Amino acid sequence: MTKAHIVYRAECRSYLGFVDIVEFFIDSEHKVLHMRSASETGYWDLGVNRRRLEFIKDQLQKRAL
């Protein structure tokens, strides 16, 4: 991994105790942000991870980042 590639990882917990992992991979060389959100346990999250990433994407677009 070169210094152009930066990874951020965060853990999100719901009120019910479910844990999701959110990862951001910044490729500054190609000016691309990759995002991933996945449930740490279970198979179905009722669309929570998708909505989380859509919200983050919308906020970044509003700020023109």
Side-chain angles (χ1 to χ4, degrees):
M1 192 173 294
T2 68
K3 65 180 177 179
H5 300 99
I6 302 169
V7 176
Y8 293 96
R9 188 171 197 258
E11 188 176 280
C12 302
R13 292 183 181 269
S14 72
Y15 296 113
L16 300 175
F18 295 107
V19 178
D20 295 334
I21 301 299
V22 182
E23 296 174 327
F24 301 93
F25 176 77
I26 302 169
D27 184 346
S28 58
E29 181 181 338
H30 296 102
K31 298 183 180 180
V32 176
L33 171 64
H34 301 275
M35 301 184 297
R36 177 181 179 271
S37 183
S39 178
E40 189 75 358
T41 58
Y43 296 102
W44 191 39
D45 67 352
L46 301 171
V48 171
N49 287 306
R50 182 181 187 94
R51 285 192 301 274
R52 177 183 295 120
L53 291 181
E54 290 293 333
F55 175 78
I56 293 169
K57 181 186 81 168
D58 292 343
Q59 294 301 308
L60 290 172
Q61 287 175 336
K62 285 180 185 176
R63 290 165 175 77
L65 295 176

